[in-house]
Amino acid sequence: DVKVTQSSRYLVKRTGEKVFLECVQDMDHENMFWYRQDPGLGLRLIYFSYDVKMKEKGDIPEGYSVSREKKERFSLILESASTNQTSMYLCASRGGTASYGYTFGSGTRLTVV
Amino acid sequence: AQSVTQLDSHVSVSEGTPVLLRCNYSSSYSPSLFWYVQHPNKGLQLLLKYTSAATLVKGINGFEAEFKKSETSFHLTKPSAHMSDAAEYFCVVSDWSGGSNYKLTFGKGTLLTVNP
């Protein structure tokens, strides 16, 4: 089974800090994604990547950046954390075409105080 | 543009009774459709997927869904609810968005409560 591992389950950071959320997948998938999940808003796509060193903006990229230096790792960066970035962050990966389905990590619950 | 509407934000059933979670979608092309389940403080787990093969799709834990193109629906059902089914369920459409790109669109979720 594909495993998508998010390095932290819970994080508490201060306003203005630079925050790194790490995601690693073990099935050589080309495609990786970062979502945030908020009550009443569902999941919203922040950034995605179809290949190493490649990134594309999703629906809500403002305040975020990403890095994909290796195929298995996709990092989400909050350049200067703000309280409105308090959320559950979910990483996903997918191989091949859309019909393969996506495998999600367990999520990182980030609180910015 | 594609969209997904989950018609109920909350469904409550008694243990042993049928479950119906409703989902309607819109898509310009031939989409792939998925149902995911999320238990509290967990990631999303794939329940089942439709990818233009059989219209009745069977998934894990006794769930199934029927793709009805004429109604643009992909409702999730289970004949008999179990306490462990209590979770949030997401209907998802994946559609071509140009080039080699596909875009996932999530419904807002349906919270399933199972009463003893």
Side-chain angles (χ1 to χ4, degrees), chain B residues 57-74:
Chain B
V57 182
K58 293 190 186 299
I60 61 171
N61 301 333
F63 284 94
E64 61 182 40
E66 186 171 8
F67 173 70
K68 291 187 176 180
K69 188 173 181 179
S70 60
E71 298 176 11
T72 60
S73 69
F74 190 56

Side-chain angles (χ1 to χ4, degrees), chain B residues 4-101:
Chain B
V4 178
T5 303
Q6 291 185 242
L7 297 162
D8 306 292
S9 59
H10 186 199
V11 170
S12 183
V13 301
S14 298
E15 191 175 19
T17 65
V19 175
L20 170 64
L21 305 183
R22 299 181 294 165
C23 173
N24 286 112
Y25 72 93
S26 69
S27 173
S28 303
Y29 300 97
S30 297
S32 296
L33 293 157
F34 308 85
W35 275 98
Y36 282 85
V37 60
Q38 186 179 34
H39 288 93
N41 297 312
K42 301 281 189 185
L44 276 72
Q45 180 185 16
L46 180 65
L47 270 182
L48 50 79
K49 62 181 180 181
Y50 166 77
T51 57
S52 75
T55 56
L56 183 61
V57 182
K58 293 190 186 299
I60 61 171
N61 301 333
F63 284 94
E64 61 182 40
E66 186 171 8
F67 173 70
K68 291 187 176 180
K69 188 173 181 179
S70 60
E71 298 176 11
T72 60
S73 69
F74 190 56
H75 300 334
L76 182 70
T77 59
K78 183 173 181 177
S80 175
H82 192 273
M83 295 296 290
S84 61
D85 295 328
E88 190 156 24
Y89 291 79
F90 293 91
C91 182
V92 183
V93 59
S94 179
D95 207 351
W96 183 67
S97 61
S100 60
N101 297 336

Side-chain angles (χ1 to χ4, degrees), chain B residues 95-113:
Chain B
D95 207 351
W96 183 67
S97 61
S100 60
N101 297 336
Y102 290 82
K103 183 179 178 182
L104 273 190
T105 301
F106 286 79
K108 297 257 190 317
T110 299
L111 182 64
L112 176 65
T113 302

Side-chain angles (χ1 to χ4, degrees), chain A residues 30-102:
Chain A
E30 296 87 1
N31 310 289
M32 296 187 74
F33 307 81
W34 275 106
Y35 290 87
R36 65 176 282 177
Q37 183 180 21
D38 300 288
L41 296 176
L43 276 82
R44 294 176 291 168
L45 180 64
I46 305 171
Y47 266 98
F48 59 99
S49 169
Y50 287 115
D51 203 351
V52 176
K53 295 192 186 293
M54 178 273 184
K55 60 186 178 184
E56 296 259 356
K57 292 180 180 179
D59 299 319
I60 52 162
E62 296 77 20
Y64 303 94
S65 63
V66 290
S67 171
R68 190 148 181 219
E69 297 296 319
K70 293 184 178 181
K71 193 174 187 179
E72 68 270 18
R73 186 180 297 271
F74 191 36
S75 303
L76 180 69
I77 304 157
L78 286 66
E79 296 291 342
S80 177
S82 64
T83 54
N84 63 12
Q85 292 179 310
T86 292
S87 186
M88 169 72 96
Y89 289 87
L90 291 164
C91 176
S93 76
R94 191 198 82 212
T97 65
S99 64
Y100 281 72
Y102 291 61

